[in-house]
Amino acid sequence: MGVAFISVFALVLLFLGFEMLLVLGVPGLLIKELYFTRLPDIAIGQRILGGVNHSTLLAIPFFLFAAEIMARGHIARHLTTMVKGFLGHRPGGMGYSTIAGSAAFGSVSGSAPATVAAMGRIMYPELRKAGYGEKISLGLIVSSAESALLIPPSITLIIYGWLTGTSITGLFAGGLVIGIFLSLAFAAYVMVEGKLSGRTGSAPMPWPDRMRAVRAAIWALGLPVIILGGIYSGTFTPTEAAAVSVIYAILVERVVYREMSLRDVYTIAGQAAITTSVIFVLLAMGSLVSYFITLAQVPGLVISFMETIEANWIVFLIVVNLVFLIAGMFIDPNSALLVLVPAFYPVALAFGIDPVHFGLIVCLNICIGMITPPFGLDIFVASSTLNKPVSAVIAGVWPFVGINIGTLVVVTYVPDLSTFLPRLLLG
Amino acid sequence: MSAALKALEKLEFFLIAALMLCMVALYATGIAVRELAPAWSRNVAFVDEATRYMMVWMVFLGLGLALARGRHIAMSVFRDRLGDRLGQILRKLIDFVGLGFCLYITWIGLDIAQRVAVTGQNSPTLGISAGILYGSLPAGFALLALRYALSLFGLIDRWNARDADAATLEGH
Amino acid sequence: QEYTARIGHLERAEQARHQGLEIVAELVRERTDGDVVFELFPAGQLGQAREMNEGVQLGVIEGTVSPAAFLSGFNPAVSILDVPFIYPADREAANALRTGAFGEAVLATFDEIGVNAIAIWPNGRKSFTSNKPLDSIEDFAGQEFRVMDSRVLISQFEAVGASAIALPFGELYTALQTGVVDGQENALDTISAMRYDEVQTNLLVSEHGANEDVVMFNPEWWNSLPEDYQTIIVEAFDEVRPQVEEIKEASQTAARERLEEAGMNIREITDEERNTLREMMYPQARDAYVAQTGAVANTIVEVYEAEYERIVE
Ligand code: NA
Ligand code: NA
């Protein structure tokens, strides 16, 4: 009863236009005062700070900073001109490039918000120039970043593996399949939408021009080479790659292209800091909300509810999907894992569900949680890095949420999709 | 008043930009040392912790400036469609609630920073007080509270703020 | 009257620490006629180790069971437990050290930081894994190992000419896979659960480091308990300690079998190697410990070395 009241209260704050940090924080305080009176107030300070005090989050400000340097300098333009040269004449070319680029960048960065920030900053203007509407451009950028959690390496899958003792190689193999499947589904949508809206490609670029574009992009191409090469050769971790990409971008803009002043670098650093602040305060407040969900032992209540209705495995998976989708509206992905997986996993095993299969259902749910309104972290990242109202991003995201839910149904009820590659690899 | 406010904004911007640049520099130094002189890598073991502390400070120090520049995320559709009078009342309500919330967090933050400082908890690598980590909380939320208060009393217009830096660089 | 303690910790529900806590919770409930209730929150649900330790100190939660390695920032004296080869291979002798004058001295240092530490529980021993050979002690030279942020652990690796690199736990699997670091140290069940066998070839069952858990309560909550309840709780933790060790050892054995099946190249450390490694690592790590801890460290080391001589030598 009280929970329902507080949820409604939060939604009212949301629709009245209160800052999102208040939409999460004020009900958080209310829950504390009403239901956890014995808990000292400092717990709130501890949780707020705890939500952002993680080393693995560092990749986000670093990639934000790097992307902003590239977008305001020459690197991004050279990269996109080259891509356009080769794919711009194909209908859907820029859309497919965004999907593929996000998959590549997301796979190595491992961070969906960082992918939205970096790819969005670079690809959004290009998509618009190529005739894509605002809605589909925003939706595509937000949702194609999901690959970050699905395509290996993925910290989400590693945490799941640790929580359940499932083979991480198996999870990674399954994640690769699901990540590619989802990307193809998005590409199919881009194709259909292009046909319906009558979008055509630009005139094909002649080969000499294409070669010229490649040559012009040579310094810009060094960046993906350094990031991918550095990570796969074991020179640095994804977070470190983020820091290296900032240094490389500044060096190339300053030394090769020579148009960016030190003053510009300073201004961009501050801008990236503000954007980080705007995004991370939501993680801080989300951590407060997830703390109370944990303390109230909500997952246990859901499990006992399912016991009373004697749910079968199909109902169980529907409930799992619903709980993760709802949780994804309020709390950050990794907290959702820690709180929900220990409760659901034994039940999943009891129903004979394959651990790798269950892991991918969970991971896909978490992906969807990041792009579903009203609280989807990736939606907010796109809104703040691209300076678009949240409502515009949400308007664009719906078709992709639909595709995601369709994919989720397939992944949930076709276990072989998740498990055939792991079985091939692990025997 | 507005001169003081401008100076404060400059200071805030300088601090968060400097933190961001230092974080990048520190992290890159850590990798360079590890790759080029692995025997020295114990001397850069502090980088992870130092950078994380700086990130936490940067996040909270940026809150006030973000509000002043109209950058905080909100679903503004309904708010913007309300008429002048009702819209004005709603905006004051948001400022009021925001002010109260931020003052409360500031107060909690001061409390926890002091208490942690007294317990003598130090960070494992740098050996600096964990109170410094928690200091970011009251500092950041006080700056945010200040902006809510200024907006509540009509001393700044955060609703129609355009980010000046974002605008000047758009032309490149 | 009812006394509820929220106890958070980092491990999964299947692991020894949580299993032990469940047994303790049941014993305490029975013996206090349901007056004292332990609510357990595993898997870091209440936050990271640092936050839970701080939470116990400040009364946000009532109790936690924390690896000693996460406590150095709160109570530097506890880092003695991170020193390599602090315990002999023999489990009984180790337990005599843990529960004797040495263990008591370590627990007593928590009083000063406003935490009531009532027991040390064993939580397995660490071993080395690497993608480079670990066939002899000389092989360590030049390898890069991941460590937790800890000066004691860093000096442990330097003592054998290896370099120590601090990386977050969550990034370790990928870092091992891509080769950012060559190796790492953890208990066998962690190595198995994190599936490091998928990204590591060699395992040296060295058991060089003790994973020790400190059981801690918030003093204010503790003092609100009637004295006989306090005794019941302390006794329950002492009583369950051997069971925790049994569960842990069983899971280590199972993990080792799984790692063997997974095709890891496993080698057991010889007694001679153990002695050589102890001679190389112990003094240097102990000195690093004393240097970072100050006066109280000298007393602890004195007690430790006297006890070690009495019990082991
Ligand atoms: Na990834
Ligand atoms: Na969501």
Side-chain angles (χ1 to χ4, degrees), chain B residues 34 38 41-42 45 48-49 112 115-116 119-122 124-127 133-134, chain C residues 50 54 57-58 72-74 113 144 149 151 154 158 163-168 180:
Chain B
R34 193 187 63 211
S41 48
R42 77 166 301 167
D48 185 70
E49 188 177 280
I112 191 168
R115 286 218 232 168
V116 168
T119 62
Q121 183 197 151
N122 286 328
T125 327
L126 287 169
L133 185 65
Y134 280 106
Chain C
R50 192 199 68 77
E54 183 182 88
Q57 217 173 10
L58 302 180
S72 66
F74 293 83
I113 61 157
E144 295 182 325
D149 270 353
R151 281 172 234 181
I154 290 173
E158 285 180 341
S163 29
I165 288 165
L167 283 180
V180 171

Side-chain angles (χ1 to χ4, degrees), chain A residues 324-331 365-377 379:
Chain A
F324 268 96
L325 288 182
I326 296 170
M329 292 182 184
F330 303 105
I331 68 182
N365 270 303
I366 283 175
C367 287
I368 300 176
M370 296 184 84
I371 69 160
T372 41
F375 189 91
L377 192 61
I379 294 177

Side-chain angles (χ1 to χ4, degrees), chain A residues 80-92:
Chain A
T80 52
T81 307
M82 193 190 79
V83 171
K84 250 190 301 193
F86 286 90
L87 294 166
H89 59 289
R90 291 177 192 279

Side-chain angles (χ1 to χ4, degrees), chain A residues 14-22 25-26 29 33 41-42 44-46 48-49 52-55 57-58 61-62 65 72 121 235-236 239-240 243-244 246-247 259 264-278 280-282 285 380 383-384 390-391 394, chain B residues 10 13-14 16-17 20-21 23-24 27-28 31 34-35 48 51-52 55-56 58-60 62-63 65-67 69 71-79 90 93-94 97-98 101 104-105 107-108 111-112 115 133-134 136-137 141 144 148 158-159 163 165-166 169-170 172:
Chain A
L14 179 79
F15 288 108
L16 285 180
F18 280 67
E19 275 79 30
M20 201 57 79
L21 71 105
L22 299 176
V26 173
L29 289 190
E33 295 306 328
D41 286 348
I42 44 175
I44 291 168
Q46 223 197 5
I48 290 178
L49 195 113
V52 293
N53 187 21
H54 297 280
S55 300
L57 287 178
L58 273 167
F62 287 163
F65 188 12
R72 295 188 182 185
R121 195 64 186 76
T235 311
F236 34 74
T239 312
E240 291 167 349
V244 171
V246 175
I247 301 272
E259 263 183 40
D264 289 341
V265 173
Y266 167 79
T267 309
I268 294 170
Q271 282 289 316
I274 294 178
T275 308
T276 307
S277 186
V278 164
F280 279 22
V281 71
L282 302 180
M285 296 303 163
F380 302 143
S383 158
S384 61
V390 177
S391 52
I394 289 177
Chain B
K10 271 221 162 100
F13 194 88
F14 168 75
I16 58 174
M20 179 65 107
L21 290 165
M23 282 158 57
V24 172
Y27 229 73
I31 306 162
R34 193 187 63 211
E35 289 302 318
D48 185 70
T51 322
R52 186 159 39 81
M55 174 179 74
V56 168
M58 185 185 82
V59 165
F60 291 116
L63 290 178
L65 204 50
L67 195 77
R69 296 188 173 190
R71 291 288 311 274
H72 275 296
I73 295 162
M75 288 263 271
S76 55
V77 186
F78 177 76
R79 193 180 72 199
L90 179 57
L93 179 68
I94 294 174
V97 171
F101 178 78
Y104 186 59
I105 304 293
W107 182 70
I108 290 173
D111 191 25
I112 191 168
R115 286 218 232 168
L133 185 65
Y134 280 106
S136 61
L137 213 52
F141 279 89
L144 186 56
Y148 273 120
R158 70 183 185 88
W159 307 100
D163 200 318
D165 294 313
L169 281 160
E170 213 69 64
H172 268 270

